[in-house]
Amino acid sequence: MQFMLLFSRQGKLRLQKWYVPLSDKEKKKITRELVQTVLARKPKMCSFLEWRDLKIVYKRYASLYFCCAIEDQDNELITLEIIHRYVELLDKYFGSVCELDIIFNFEKAYFILDEFLLGGEVQETSKKNVLKAIEQADLLQE
Amino acid sequence: MALKMVKGSIDRMFDKNLQDLVRGIRNHKEDEAKYISQCIDEIKQELKQDNIAVKANAVCKLTYLQMLGYDISWAAFNIIEVMSASKFTFKRIGYLAASQCFHEGTDVIMLTTNQIRKDLSSPNQYDTGVALTGLSCFVTPDLARDLANDIMTLMSHTKPYIRKKAVLIMYKVFLKYPESLRPAFPRLKEKLEDPDPGVQSAAVNVICELARRNPKNYLSLAPLFFKLMTSSTNNWVLIKIIKLFGALTPLEPRLGKKLIEPLTNLIHSTSAMSLLYECVNTVIPILKSPVLARNNTVFLYVEKLYFVFFPPTVKYLGLLAMSKILKTHPKSVQSHKDLILQCLDDKDESIRLRALDLLYGMVSKKNLMEIVKKLMIHVDKAEGTTYRDELLTKIIDICSQSNYQYITNFEWYISILVELTRLEGTRHGHLIAAQMLDVAIRVKAIRKFAVSQMAMLLDNAHLIASNTQRNGICEVLYAAAWICGEFSDHLEESNQTLEAMLRPKVTTLPGHIQAVYVQNMVKLYASILQQKEQAGEKEAAQEITQLMIDRLPQFVQSADLEVQERASCILQLIKYIQKLQIKEVPVAEEVIALFAGELNPVAPKAQKKVPVPEGLDLDAWINEPPSDSESEDEKPRTIFHDEEQRHSRHRQPEIDEEELARRREVRKQEQANNPFYIKSSPSPQKQYQDTPGVEHIPVVQIDLSVPLKVPGMPMSDQYVKLEEERRHKQKLEKDKKKKKQKKEKKGKHRRHNSLHTESDEDIAPAQHVDIITEEMPENALPSDEDDKDPNDPYKALDIDLDKPLADSEKLPVQRHRNAENLKSPDTEAPLVGKKSKKPKKKEKKHKEKEREKEKKKEREKKVTEEGKKVVCVLSATYDIQGNLQNDSQVTVSVIFENKSTSFLKSMELNVLDSLNAKMLRPEGSSVHDGIPVPFQLPPGISNEAQFVFTLQSIVMAQKLKGTLSFIVKNDNGSTHEKLDFKLHFSCASYLITTPCYSDAFAKLLESGDLHMSSIKVDGISISFQHLLAKICFYHHFSVVERVDSCASMYSRSIQGHHVCLLVKKGENSVSVDGKCNDSTLLSNLLDEMKETLSKC
């Protein structure tokens, strides 16, 4: 996976994670372009689209769009599952997560993502283990 | 109450936390930018304070602002400060900020190296974890090089939490620092069998990613992954493994055969769509191999599955998978043509483009016209120029693919092209033009028709060129003008066309098109002139000349230099012709001679493929670069002088790449500055016009059932109908013939005939089209090296992992913290197992240190250092490997390293042959001659040389004595030195690691023609896993099956002996039972093994 973006229906970026080193300018350009493209799509359209030489996999949960960029050979369906798994994790952690949770605790959202994915690859496939790691790290923080 | 408010505002003023910031931004919707700039000012204040908590808070807020698109790179140093906080709370925030905003261009990043190293070795696993996570986002080549060793150590950390992170991050490290791959790979491979499933899946992930880019280096891991695949139940891991197999199967067809069954089972049993999708994607390419072509049941099943993928949200995948099936089973996809054509109407552009791709692969002679007709309808309907342009290019691609293979009627194609010119606002005018030119040049039979169509285009040029916005399309006029000019003898209404080309409107066209007009109107003029003269119509000939003289001046006044120049040149020519005409001299023959000869198409690579004549060195100087004082007129002499010398001289292979590149650069510059240098030579087409063959291709007359001239603008549709009729007629005729045959050969071939359907081959083209193949120079080089992208980041990882590690390949280790971790025995875990390494040293002073195989790398390094003190000059390590091609040869690779400060040269290796083992010497040399080492060694350099030995019998170990002589050259002169050494060929070195599946293994054991023997070794303390690894590594075995503390292993000798082992581990002992075709070999092998094991 090359990067993951979360943005609202209004086009506001809520979370971004880049697994490829890019300059800020490039990141901004990509984000703007993708948010526009994805928001312009109708609800019944396919969750996959080709964009530059990458494939974009996105899914909408309530008012948030989760959007990942993968390479040509990657499995689109597993990417959808990754998105879903991440939503589940957020849900478990915050207790029925909503957009505001992510806005106000954006660093937590990042920490959860970092326990789940590393360098764009799935790091831990067990939900339980991810949450356990986060809980323990949080304990340490207090 | 009031107090509380005041207190709150004071709090907020001094310490606004993230929540407050977010809330503030939400409350200042109107003046967000202003509010944020205010906040940034506050943050700058906070960063100046000493309190780390305040700083961390500020950095946290900055991270949020960064997401909103504000630049926070100015705070990079503060982020590092927070990263180095001792409290985890702050450290976590620091690393998060760093991972969000650091990139390779961040200059402070190198300051982090030590901090990260410290965090990596922190006793708190979460400190380490957070450092690894952060590093994965901003690792640079420098960081990768400096930290590779630390991360590699973490791969064997006690906590699985750290292990899995370390394993995953290694992939990023490999990408940034490819040299680390080989040293780290053995441990990575080990992690495939880690007890923790998380670590295991991380290792699978990394190896899969690596293998996908360079599959051939990972073939040897296939049996291991196969085992993992059959045992794993984790879908995430399974998908990765199956993807890996997808990359390996093209290289190893046997693997595909093996995979079909488990994959089919998975397809049937799994409920996870993603896994299903992956399995199907991997199965499809396997099915194409001829062995499995019969396995159609799987395939039919697969095809059905695709309807699972046709709901709108995943339709894209369905199409994608279809395109994969298409490559192997085109017929089955063709039946879904309508479904795919429907997708062209989809709102989603990705889907439309995929569908177009599919159509591209689906066309055949039979359905081309139909598909293109449908596409033409879409072209008319399509909204948005991008998609329409895409359609246009696809139509052209579809028709022109594989040398116009599917076009049966070129008249139809030309009319399609002409229809396409009516497209508004397309950018691809030049593409259509190129096609017109290509077809007209290469398909001789079509020229007449093409010319008539092009004449019509020229006549209607005002339609095409009228709108300035449509100027993309006026490129076709370029083609039209050229075709009409070049093939003007086919033109029926030449006068009319000439007039069309001379219209004043033409001057509004782009310059390069006008230039072509001017040039081609002369060709046209020449042919008219000839006609008229032959017909004896002198007046008409003079009229046409007058017309030219009247109209050409409008081009002479053109602002475009090219047009101007050509026009004035031609005007003068025609004025001269007029003079001759007045004198009643026949001129047509001479004018036509100006354009004699025919153009042949030249292959695009022709120039590149012209072989370099022998003795010609393109990179050598023709004459030495001129010194400043040298005057120009002296040069020619030097050229001749130099050339004479060159004849006797051979190519110099010694010139290294760098030097060549430099010279090339210099030469290029010189050429650029030299006004007399002709840049990029013109295509050599004229040269080849007499090539035999082209002229003799019989050109068959055009089928007259097709009207030659279509009134008005052509309509491609009518061709579709005509074509259908024609095919029908053909079919009827054929059927008739068949029936006749049937009567003649009653019964014999009944089955064959009754099965007859209209297949592609049955359709004869309408015109006999000779597509003139493109010219290639004689004796062109056959090599077709595809130009690989040199910038591919994964190319650097194309590293042979089977080769043993060389000393120079060790990861850089920080001096003061060095060693201890590395000394653990796992460090030297088996490489992939094919070759073993038996380091041995030779030192000056004839002190030979015979070294044992099991020496750890660390130790070897120490000795090397000691050796330096004893003025060691040369060190050599060797390894022996069996030759797969030849059953009685082994190759000994020796790495020589010059450890002195002198230059070593004239190295020569000689061995005293024994009865059984002989060194392979070049023919004609006696057994006492040594073999020269093909290189010299400057100080500090190492290089590898290979020597081949032939062996009669391989059942026993061998020792060969030998000497290495060399000359040491330094400032004090040169001395002749000699080294004695022994080469030890152990029985294990005749074995080749060969994977064996358990069923084959069982059969082998049952066969009963194997001898048996066994050994037992006591006092073994190492783990069983480790023990097996040792046997694999040093004795070239592979594990067939392992159950608890018992394992079966297999290997094969270069002469085809099977060796099977059963290894059992007791409390403190190990017993090895062996079976082999040869009892001597077996007992020798077991003895060697005993020696290895007793050292454990």
Side-chain angles (χ1 to χ4, degrees):
Chain A
M1 192 187 293
Q2 306 251 340
F3 56 84
M4 187 185 221
L5 300 175
L6 258 71
F7 49 86
S8 69
R9 222 168 27 177
Q10 289 78 35
K12 282 241 177 9
L13 195 60
R14 294 303 178 207
L15 192 131
Q16 53 169 352
K17 192 82 202 175
W18 301 82
Y19 297 112
V20 282
L22 289 173
S23 71
D24 279 352
K25 210 172 130 200
E26 184 72 8
K27 284 182 190 171
K28 262 188 224 168
K29 200 175 146 225
I30 294 175
T31 313
R32 208 178 318 122
E33 214 174 295
L34 268 184
V35 169
Q36 254 174 23
T37 327
V38 172
L39 287 179
R41 290 171 72 85
K42 305 205 169 49
K44 272 205 169 166
M45 278 190 175
C46 195
S47 308
F48 318 111
L49 62 142
E50 284 167 17
W51 180 80
R52 299 195 188 173
D53 54 345
L54 299 174
K55 282 192 289 199
I56 304 297
V57 179
Y58 73 92
K59 191 156 179 158
R60 189 179 147 182
Y61 287 89
S63 57
L64 271 184
Y65 283 90
F66 289 70
C67 172
C68 296
I70 54 173
E71 277 162 61
D72 189 41
Q73 294 177 327
D74 288 327
N75 187 323
E76 295 88 348
L77 290 171
I78 201 79
T79 314
L80 270 185
E81 276 176 42
I82 290 175
I83 293 178
H84 187 72
R85 176 60 63 89
Y86 182 47
V87 174
E88 281 179 335
L89 286 169
L90 289 173
D91 212 47
K92 276 261 169 62
Y93 183 82
F94 290 109
S96 81
V97 67
C98 68
E99 195 184 336
L100 282 180
D101 285 324
I102 297 176
I103 299 175
F104 281 103
N105 299 293
F106 88 112
E107 84 277 23
K108 296 277 193 254
Y110 276 120
F111 295 150
I112 298 175
L113 185 61
D114 285 342
E115 286 301 329
F116 176 46
L117 300 176
L118 193 139
E121 296 292 329
V122 176
Q123 174 190 170
E124 182 55 70
T125 55
S126 140
K127 262 185 277 187
K128 215 174 67 197
N129 285 355
V130 176
L131 290 171
K132 209 169 78 193
I134 285 289
E135 264 166 42
Q136 277 172 354
D138 279 350
L139 268 181
L140 208 67
Q141 184 164 0
E142 295 319 317
Chain B
M1 184 69 186
L3 186 74
K4 206 176 177 187
M5 267 179 69
V6 171
K7 195 174 173 268
S9 71
I10 289 174
D11 262 351
R12 209 162 293 163
M13 225 161 105
F14 283 116
D15 205 6
K16 188 187 277 171
N17 67 17
L18 178 68
Q19 270 76 15
D20 298 324
L21 175 81
V22 175
R23 212 166 284 134
I25 294 174
R26 290 170 74 83
N27 289 338
H28 290 78
K29 285 232 163 79
E30 300 82 38
D31 52 345
E32 197 184 286
K34 198 178 146 209
Y35 177 75
I36 289 179
S37 73
Q38 202 183 328
C39 289
I40 291 185
D41 286 341
E42 283 171 20
I43 291 170
K44 283 185 179 161
Q45 288 305 316
E46 285 169 18
L47 287 175
K48 281 184 191 147
Q49 295 188 29
D50 284 335
N51 187 340
I52 191 76
V54 177
K55 266 187 196 164
N57 185 35
V59 165
C60 186
K61 286 192 279 185
L62 280 179
T63 316
Y64 187 78
L65 293 178
Q66 192 260 351
M67 187 167 69
L68 297 185
Y70 292 88
D71 177 37
I72 63 158
S73 54
W74 50 271
F77 190 74
N78 301 102
I79 293 174
I80 296 183
E81 277 183 308
V82 177
M83 274 163 75
S84 54
S86 54
K87 254 181 112 176
F88 176 68
T89 323
F90 307 136
K91 192 183 284 300
R92 202 181 189 187
I93 287 169
Y95 271 104
L96 174 63
S99 69
Q100 292 300 101
C101 73
F102 282 7
H103 51 88
E104 284 190 17
T106 312
D107 41 7
V108 291
I109 219 164
M110 59 198 189
L111 298 177
T112 60
T113 318
N114 277 319
Q115 179 57 41
I116 295 174
R117 181 173 287 131
K118 209 173 108 194
D119 288 334
L120 288 183
S121 55
S122 156
N124 179 349
Q125 62 166 331
Y126 293 102
D127 280 351
T128 316
V130 99
L132 284 172
T133 312
L135 191 60
S136 74
C137 292
F138 57 79
V139 60
T140 61
D142 284 339
L143 279 177
R145 192 195 54 231
D146 295 340
L147 296 172
N149 195 50
D150 301 71
I151 299 172
M152 200 164 104
T153 320
L154 290 179
M155 279 166 70
S156 334
H157 198 272
T158 48
K159 300 248 174 50
Y161 177 79
I162 300 297
R163 286 209 300 272
K164 80 184 173 207
K165 279 181 195 272
V167 168
L168 274 180
I169 203 180
M170 268 330 256
Y171 180 59
K172 294 272 163 184
V173 173
F174 294 151
L175 283 180
K176 298 285 173 192
Y177 178 55
E179 290 87 340
S180 61
L181 178 57
R182 277 174 38 79
F185 193 73
R187 192 173 300 191
L188 185 60
K189 200 180 140 208
E190 214 175 79
K191 294 295 149 208
L192 285 175
E193 290 171 305
D194 196 279
D196 183 86
V199 182
Q200 200 182 24
S201 96
V204 169
N205 258 337
V206 172
I207 295 189
C208 287
E209 286 304 311
L210 288 169
R212 267 166 63 188
R213 319 291 180 184
N214 302 296
K216 66 174 192 308
N217 300 334
Y218 300 86
L219 262 179
S220 55
L221 290 179
L224 185 57
F225 274 103
F226 192 81
K227 215 165 66 190
L228 277 177
M229 183 178 78
T230 41
S231 60
S232 176
T233 51
N234 185 334
N235 283 351
W236 305 78
V237 176
L238 275 176
I239 286 179
K240 281 284 172 184
I241 297 179
I242 291 167
K243 196 177 275 303
L244 169 90
F245 279 129
L248 294 184
T249 42
L251 303 175
E252 176 57 273
R254 279 175 300 172
L255 191 59
K257 207 172 161 189
K258 189 99 180 150
L259 277 172
I260 280 221
E261 201 198 317
L263 286 186
T264 316
N265 287 343
L266 273 177
I267 290 174
H268 282 275
S269 63
T270 184
S271 58
M273 282 245 280
S274 46
L275 180 58
L276 177 71
Y277 181 62
E278 199 62 60
C279 288
V280 168
N281 273 343
T282 306
V283 162
I284 294 167
I286 297 175
L287 287 175
K288 84 169 174 233
S289 68
V291 197
L292 301 154
R294 267 174 283 125
N295 208 338
N296 260 337
T297 47
V298 182
F299 169 67
L300 285 175
Y301 188 70
V302 164
E303 211 206 336
K304 252 188 238 155
L305 276 174
Y306 272 103
F307 290 92
V308 177
F309 292 119
F310 264 96
T313 47
V314 284
K315 204 189 227 170
Y316 172 79
L317 297 186
L319 289 172
L320 209 59
M322 283 273 204
S323 65
K324 277 181 191 151
I325 305 187
L326 186 71
K327 282 178 200 143
T328 55
H329 297 80
K331 284 225 172 100
S332 55
V333 178
Q334 269 160 12
S335 53
H336 301 299
K337 195 175 67 200
D338 294 333
L339 192 71
I340 292 159
L341 281 169
Q342 268 171 30
C343 292
L344 287 179
D345 289 324
D346 204 284
K347 287 192 190 100
D348 202 329
E349 198 170 323
S350 310
I351 292 186
R352 290 197 304 249
L353 294 179
R354 277 291 139 225
L356 273 181
D357 271 356
L358 266 176
L359 286 177
Y360 174 82
M362 275 168 57
V363 287
S364 63
K365 279 184 183 166
K366 208 161 57 171
N367 62 16
L368 175 73
M369 284 187 170
E370 192 193 340
I371 288 179
V372 172
K373 188 180 155 196
K374 293 237 167 83
L375 288 179
M376 290 298 282
I377 295 171
H378 278 281
V379 171
D380 288 337
K381 284 198 298 191
E383 290 163 17
T385 41
T386 14
Y387 178 57
R388 200 165 41 195
D389 280 355
E390 185 64 33
L391 270 171
L392 189 152
T393 37
K394 263 285 143 35
I395 291 179
I396 289 180
D397 278 356
I398 286 177
C399 294
S400 61
Q401 65 176 310
S402 32
N403 221 354
Y404 306 100
Q405 188 191 346
Y406 299 117
I407 296 185
T408 49
N409 188 333
F410 275 92
E411 287 184 17
W412 164 81
Y413 185 46
I414 295 266
S415 10
I416 286 284
L417 288 175
V418 173
E419 269 179 53
L420 285 175
T421 61
R422 278 184 266 157
L423 268 188
E424 273 186 46
T426 179
R427 291 179 291 113
H428 292 300
H430 60 95
L431 205 63
I432 304 178
Q435 283 291 301
M436 287 173 169
L437 288 173
D438 199 37
V439 171
I441 295 172
R442 291 172 60 187
V443 188
K444 273 193 174 177
I446 201 67
R447 282 181 191 163
K448 196 177 174 92
F449 180 77
V451 166
S452 72
Q453 291 297 314
M454 294 304 121
M456 205 147 51
L457 268 185
L458 287 179
D459 217 23
N460 295 317
H462 55 282
L463 289 179
I464 291 168
S466 63
N467 195 337
T468 41
Q469 276 184 337
R470 298 171 63 184
N471 54 12
I473 202 69
C474 59
E475 290 290 327
V476 295
L477 291 177
Y478 176 103
W482 189 86
I483 292 172
C484 285
E486 185 66 25
F487 306 118
S488 49
D489 356 335
H490 296 291
L491 208 53
E492 299 197 338
E493 306 275 341
S494 323
N495 277 359
Q496 202 186 334
T497 311
L498 185 62
E499 269 183 55
M501 287 170 85
L502 284 166
R503 276 184 207 143
K505 257 272 182 185
V506 172
T507 49
T508 59
L509 290 171
H512 67 285
I513 298 180
Q514 283 187 55
V516 173
Y517 263 67
V518 173
Q519 191 72 17
N520 283 287
M521 60 180 77
V522 196
K523 293 184 196 166
L524 207 53
Y525 164 77
S527 85
I528 297 175
L529 207 59
Q530 197 187 27
Q531 276 172 28
K532 302 287 177 198
E533 265 186 25
Q534 278 168 359
E537 302 168 27
K538 278 178 193 156
E539 272 178 28
Q542 283 179 4
E543 256 171 48
I544 204 91
T545 315
Q546 191 55 45
L547 178 77
M548 291 288 279
I549 292 176
D550 289 346
R551 298 284 183 83
L552 270 175
Q554 60 182 338
F555 294 105
V556 176
Q557 289 154 12
S558 168
D560 191 286
L561 286 179
E562 181 75 19
V563 181
Q564 202 187 61
E565 192 184 354
R566 288 192 191 196
S568 35
C569 213
I570 283 160
L571 188 59
Q572 291 314 313
L573 176 75
I574 291 180
K575 278 185 182 159
Y576 179 68
I577 293 171
Q578 196 180 30
K579 266 187 214 162
L580 292 176
Q581 274 182 332
I582 293 169
K583 287 183 202 157
E584 306 221 331
V585 182
V587 283
E589 286 308 317
E590 281 166 55
V591 179
I592 210 101
L594 285 176
F595 305 105
E598 210 175 306
L599 293 178
N600 283 334
V602 176
K605 281 183 183 163
Q607 180 73 51
K608 214 165 80 186
K609 301 235 165 162
V610 178
V612 181
E614 217 171 303
L616 175 66
D617 182 1
L618 290 174
D619 292 316
W621 285 104
I622 291 179
N623 50 318
E624 292 305 312
S627 61
D628 305 319
S629 58
E630 213 172 359
S631 70
E632 282 294 308
D633 46 4
E634 272 178 338
K635 262 184 187 170
R637 229 188 300 148
T638 8
I639 291 178
F640 288 119
H641 185 62
D642 224 45
E643 204 141 45
E644 265 172 23
Q645 281 185 331
R646 183 151 305 103
H647 277 302
S648 58
R649 215 165 61 191
H650 261 298
R651 268 195 80 161
Q652 289 182 304
E654 287 91 0
I655 302 171
D656 60 340
E657 280 299 318
E658 241 173 277
E659 172 69 357
L660 284 179
R662 195 185 60 79
R663 287 188 188 178
R664 228 170 276 144
E665 205 44 52
V666 172
R667 203 169 50 245
K668 253 187 221 156
Q669 266 194 344
E670 208 174 30
Q671 285 170 1
N673 296 334
N674 185 351
F676 301 111
Y677 182 77
I678 303 164
K679 279 139 200 152
S680 67
S681 57
S683 51
Q685 44 201 17
K686 285 285 184 193
Q687 244 169 279
Y688 293 107
Q689 65 192 32
D690 298 329
T691 317
V694 181
E695 246 66 32
H696 306 296
I697 297 172
V699 181
V700 176
Q701 283 303 305
I702 297 173
D703 189 337
L704 286 176
S705 67
V706 183
L708 282 179
K709 202 173 173 220
V710 186
M713 281 294 214
M715 287 300 294
S716 57
D717 287 359
Q718 55 201 89
Y719 287 105
V720 179
K721 257 184 225 144
L722 280 172
E723 183 70 14
E724 270 164 19
E725 279 168 26
R726 195 180 62 83
R727 278 183 199 171
H728 186 66
K729 227 192 283 171
Q730 255 181 15
K731 206 183 156 192
L732 283 181
E733 271 170 34
K734 230 175 230 175
D735 282 355
K736 249 187 240 162
K737 264 188 212 164
K738 286 257 163 72
K739 266 178 205 156
K740 259 187 213 162
Q741 281 178 353
K742 219 179 189 177
K743 273 177 197 163
E744 282 162 16
K745 308 179 186 176
K746 227 178 187 175
K748 257 191 180 174
H749 293 288
R750 194 190 297 152
R751 196 159 153 256
H752 171 77
N753 281 337
S754 60
L755 267 176
H756 166 257
T757 47
E758 191 186 14
S759 72
D760 244 19
E761 291 70 40
D762 293 335
I763 302 170
Q767 300 106 329
H768 252 287
V769 181
D770 50 307
I771 296 180
I772 300 166
T773 45
E774 293 168 320
E775 295 275 350
M776 273 293 205
E778 289 164 64
N779 52 26
L781 302 170
S783 69
D784 207 5
E785 75 279 359
D786 26 348
D787 314 333
K788 278 186 188 160
D789 180 12
N791 295 326
D792 182 8
Y794 304 108
K795 219 181 147 191
L797 286 181
D798 189 359
I799 294 167
D800 184 5
L801 295 163
D802 291 345
K803 259 201 266 169
L805 280 176
D807 267 0
S808 55
E809 278 185 300
K810 300 190 60 175
L811 288 176
V813 183
Q814 278 273 308
R815 277 296 151 221
H816 62 280
R817 60 169 63 245
N818 189 359
E820 252 57 52
N821 334 340
L822 266 177
K823 270 189 186 163
S824 77
D826 334 44
T827 326
E828 190 65 343
L831 276 158
V832 181
K834 261 193 185 154
K835 304 164 187 181
S836 78
K837 184 177 175 186
K838 279 153 259 172
K840 188 161 87 166
K841 284 212 97 61
K842 301 154 203 167
E843 281 170 26
K844 208 188 165 185
K845 314 209 167 170
H846 306 252
K847 240 198 281 167
E848 192 195 290
K849 282 192 186 172
E850 171 76 33
R851 308 196 71 223
E852 294 306 329
K853 309 171 200 171
E854 286 81 17
K855 291 271 156 83
K856 302 281 176 297
K857 265 190 82 181
E858 271 311 296
R859 276 172 64 193
E860 182 184 57
K861 200 176 137 215
K862 265 189 214 152
V863 173
T864 317
E865 275 157 10
E866 278 166 24
K868 264 183 199 152
K869 282 175 215 149
V870 204
V871 209
C872 160
V873 172
L874 179 70
S875 92
T877 46
Y878 72 88
D879 89 273
I880 303 175
Q881 65 190 98
N883 189 334
L884 283 166
Q885 275 84 43
N886 195 323
D887 60 8
S888 60
Q889 283 187 357
V890 291
T891 309
V892 178
S893 318
V894 189
I895 298 169
F896 298 97
E897 187 183 0
N898 185 353
K899 296 203 170 277
S900 67
T901 51
S902 327
F903 197 88
L904 302 187
K905 56 182 207 173
S906 309
M907 286 187 278
E908 204 176 85
L909 184 113
N910 199 8
V911 171
L912 217 55
D913 290 348
S914 71
L915 276 176
N916 191 18
K918 291 184 173 61
M919 183 155 78
L920 205 66
R921 296 177 169 85
E923 262 179 72
S925 50
S926 84
V927 287
H928 304 295
D929 290 344
I931 292 189
V933 179
F935 48 77
Q936 306 181 330
L937 283 178
I941 301 294
S942 66
N943 203 342
E944 182 182 309
Q946 293 193 328
F947 305 92
V948 179
F949 287 78
T950 44
L951 296 153
Q952 298 272 306
S953 148
I954 60 156
V955 298
M956 271 183 300
Q958 300 268 340
K959 267 187 191 154
L960 287 186
K961 273 189 185 170
T963 46
L964 180 77
S965 58
F966 54 95
I967 295 172
V968 184
K969 195 178 171 193
N970 51 24
D971 301 338
N972 310 331
S974 47
T975 47
H976 205 224
E977 299 283 349
K978 236 180 181 181
L979 264 187
D980 291 334
F981 62 87
K982 269 185 199 157
L983 281 175
H984 181 76
F985 295 86
S986 65
C987 282
S989 58
Y990 309 134
L991 294 185
I992 297 169
T993 316
T994 322
C996 180
Y997 297 110
S998 50
D999 41 354
F1001 189 77
K1003 258 185 213 148
L1004 198 62
L1005 287 182
E1006 279 165 19
S1007 67
D1009 36 56
L1010 302 181
H1011 303 269
M1012 191 174 152
S1013 173
S1014 54
I1015 52 161
K1016 193 169 180 192
V1017 186
D1018 292 319
I1020 302 266
S1021 52
I1022 62 167
S1023 73
F1024 189 54
Q1025 168 73 28
H1026 195 164
L1027 183 109
L1028 291 183
K1030 269 193 190 302
I1031 299 181
C1032 289
F1033 182 47
Y1034 293 117
H1035 299 278
H1036 303 191
F1037 277 87
S1038 63
V1039 179
V1040 179
E1041 219 168 0
R1042 184 185 156 187
V1043 186
D1044 300 328
S1045 58
C1046 180
S1048 49
M1049 306 180 92
Y1050 175 80
S1051 187
R1052 215 172 65 95
S1053 79
I1054 52 171
Q1055 295 186 352
H1057 301 109
H1058 300 285
V1059 190
C1060 307
L1061 294 185
L1062 183 68
V1063 186
K1064 282 186 226 153
K1065 186 167 174 4
E1067 269 295 285
N1068 261 326
S1069 67
V1070 173
S1071 71
V1072 182
D1073 296 314
K1075 278 192 173 184
C1076 176
N1077 310 51
D1078 190 296
S1079 57
T1080 333
L1081 179 65
L1082 182 65
S1083 66
N1084 283 326
L1085 273 172
L1086 288 179
D1087 286 345
E1088 283 172 17
M1089 215 169 288
K1090 198 169 182 175
E1091 204 178 329
T1092 316
L1093 294 178
S1094 58
K1095 283 185 198 120
C1096 293

